[in-house]
Amino acid sequence: MIEIKNIQKKFGDRQVLAGIDGCFQPGETSLIIGGSGTGKSVLLKCMIGLVQPDLGEVLYDGRNFLTADDDTRKAIRREMGVLFQGSALFDSKSVFDNVRFPLDMLTTMTEEEKVERAHASLQRVGLENAEQRMPSEISGGMKKRVGIARAIVMNPKYLFCDEPNSGLDPLTSIKIDQLIKEITDEYKITTVVITHDMNSMMEIGEKIMFLYEGNKLWEGNSDTLAHSDVDRLNEFIYANKLLREMEGK
Amino acid sequence: MVTLGRYFIFLGTLFRDRERTSVYLRLILDECVSIGVNSVFIVAIVSSFIGAVTCVQTAYNLDNPFVPRNIIAFIVRDSTILEFAPTISSIVLAGKVGSSIAGQLGTMRVTEQIDALEVMGINSSSYLVLPKVLGAMLMFPLLTMMAAFLGILGGYLAGVLVGVISHEDFISGLRFDYNPFGIKFALIKTEVFAFLIATISAYQGFNVSGGALEVGNASTNAVTASCISIIVADFVLTQLLLA
Ligand SMILES: Nc1ncnc2c1ncn2[C@@H]1O[C@H](COP(=O)(O)OP(=O)(O)OP(=O)(O)O)[C@@H](O)[C@H]1O
Ligand SMILES: [Mg+2]
């Protein structure tokens, strides 16, 4: 379980996060949604330690990540997998080497164990045939899948995905969502996903948190999403014309 | 001033919290290949031509029957070893190696590859930058020695072919008042330049934020800043070591 308490962050005079609380459960895919520039990525970066919040706590199963000593921080980092918005594959390494990289750097596994684990991970995302290709030679959707394979190769307890389906066609996008959800169920991972995508919200939103200008305005799930009385949230989800028509609003 | 402070903090992070040594050995080897092998050609061309020009130029300037001809070779030798080989090669390398280091790291920064390393708990600056610094410090002296040799050879060939100096005069000039400290001095300078180029360029690349445009700017800044630092360091070292 991940708990965040009163996360605040300012860049200069701009209050990007104004005190966010939340709780993310294992085996559950939690979504963070909200318009562009509302601080979703900054919140995620605060949680994974790439940005230092001005105030607040991030607890990984009770361990305070921000104040922990170096060893504890390292231990927690080894338990998390991150899929970045642009996949962030190492472009000098092949698909296979990207996936086995964390094993090389962070474990003392034997060569066979590493190869087997990396294979299994790539198989899980359906890329066993692209192992020797370079990141520059594969499509955006494949990159995301390699990113997921790399994020799960260490068997993480916590998985973070920043817009896993931005820039993908609807079909690929649904496949990626399903994959994330399945992995989360299968390994009982605590998963946090940032998304703009209405489909994802309806399909995999077991828990949804809506951010607006650095505040959490609403929390619920895919069933209650469309029936909230939060104006900002309704504006956000009914920006989509088709949905508006379908719901008769 | 603030930049200078940040630069020194950045240098500090290179040596903190490193990975296993075996990891570095491979990376250093890779860097040696990309820094060394890829720069041989340009350094060879530049140094032999500068040697040639120095020889011919000096010969025309010393067009006086009372000055012995072998002085020309003596001047070619000392200016090549003391100044041209280490400094000019380093400036050429600042353009080639510096811009590639800054470009590579800058791209890794804006595509979140550096963040990806950080969240794995890897000290990205030591993992990415240290091998480049060590690779440069291993390869630059070799390139400088090659440059010195080719510079003098270029001077010899040009001098003899153009006819401004005879074979015998050139050889006797080369041997005249030879001070082995010259080579040592050149190598010390080269090591300092290698360190400056690699770390300044890495610093520029590491601190990019934005996109492709900023990466390009970082490359340009890396080359400019490296060149300036080379010239300043050259002056300081010459004062310290030769005065
Ligand atoms: N390193 C930084 N320095 C200064 N300002 C920043 C920094 N990172 C983010 N911001 C600002 O914080 C605000 C929130 O950014 P963030 O990236 O979290 O938005 P987002 O909700 O993820 O948007 P999007 O959906 O477009 O990705 C933006 O206005 C951005 O300009
Ligand atoms: Mg974002």
Side-chain angles (χ1 to χ4, degrees), chain A residues 11 14 16 34-42 85 163 196:
Chain A
F11 285 114
R14 262 200 80 205
V16 175
S36 212
T38 51
K40 304 182 298 294
S41 295
V42 174
Q85 196 158 344
E163 304 197 12
H196 284 298

Side-chain angles (χ1 to χ4, degrees), chain A residues 200-220:
Chain A
S200 315
M201 294 176 212
M202 302 316 285
E203 289 288 327
I204 62 169
E206 291 171 274
K207 176 168 173 183
I208 301 176
M209 190 190 266
F210 174 66
L211 292 195
Y212 180 80
E213 289 183 352
N215 291 292
K216 182 172 86 177
L217 289 194
W218 180 86
E219 197 171 337

Side-chain angles (χ1 to χ4, degrees), chain B residues 37-49:
Chain B
V37 177
N38 296 338
S39 309
V40 166
F41 181 69
I42 178 86
V43 170
I45 294 276
V46 170
S47 56
S48 36
F49 274 87

Side-chain angles (χ1 to χ4, degrees), chain B residues 8-207:
Chain B
F8 283 112
I9 292 171
F10 173 73
L11 289 186
T13 65
L14 296 189
F15 302 98
R16 237 191 26 227
D17 196 13
R18 278 162 304 167
E19 306 304 322
R20 292 191 291 263
T21 316
S22 60
V23 171
Y24 284 100
L25 289 179
R26 274 232 27 216
L27 292 171
I28 292 171
L29 205 67
D30 288 348
E31 293 301 337
C32 284
V33 173
S34 84
I35 293 171
V37 177
N38 296 338
S39 309
V40 166
F41 181 69
I42 178 86
V43 170
I45 294 276
V46 170
S47 56
S48 36
F49 274 87
I50 288 193
V53 172
T54 312
C55 181
V56 176
Q57 189 93 50
T58 313
Y60 284 122
N61 289 342
L62 290 182
D63 197 13
N64 182 328
F66 295 108
V67 177
R69 298 308 279 170
N70 65 8
I71 284 293
I72 298 169
F74 167 77
I75 289 175
V76 168
R77 182 195 76 202
D78 273 8
S79 52
T80 304
I81 292 178
L82 294 180
E83 194 59 32
F84 293 144
T87 310
I88 303 279
S89 325
S90 293
I91 285 182
V92 170
L93 289 170
K96 191 155 166 69
V97 176
S99 64
S100 103
I101 289 179
Q104 195 190 342
L105 293 177
T107 307
M108 291 189 77
R109 166 64 75 197
V110 302
T111 56
E112 296 176 314
Q113 294 177 51
I114 291 179
D115 288 344
L117 285 171
E118 286 288 328
V119 294
M120 288 176 198
I122 295 168
N123 177 356
S124 56
S125 52
S126 85
Y127 175 77
L128 293 172
V129 179
L130 202 54
K132 293 188 195 301
V133 175
L134 295 177
M137 291 179 76
L138 284 171
M139 295 318 283
F140 276 34
L142 297 180
L143 290 167
T144 295
M145 285 196 274
M146 182 191 77
F149 174 76
L150 289 177
I152 292 171
L153 185 69
Y156 168 80
L157 289 177
V160 173
L161 288 179
V162 174
V164 291
I165 183 170
S166 69
H167 169 76
E168 289 74 23
D169 279 344
F170 198 92
I171 300 297
S172 91
L174 277 191
R175 295 207 174 123
F176 179 72
D177 192 21
Y178 176 68
N179 181 358
F181 180 71
I183 303 263
K184 224 185 269 170
F185 173 65
L187 292 180
I188 293 172
K189 284 210 299 191
T190 310
E191 287 295 13
V192 173
F193 297 160
F195 182 82
L196 287 172
I197 292 172
T199 53
I200 289 174
S201 310
Y203 172 82
Q204 293 284 349
F206 230 76
N207 290 298

Side-chain angles (χ1 to χ4, degrees), chain A residues 74 84 89-91 101 104, chain B residues 17 20 111-113 116 121 127:
Chain A
K74 243 184 174 156
F84 286 89
L89 302 182
F90 302 121
D91 40 32
F101 180 79
D104 282 337
Chain B
D17 196 13
R20 292 191 291 263
T111 56
E112 296 176 314
Q113 294 177 51
Y127 175 77

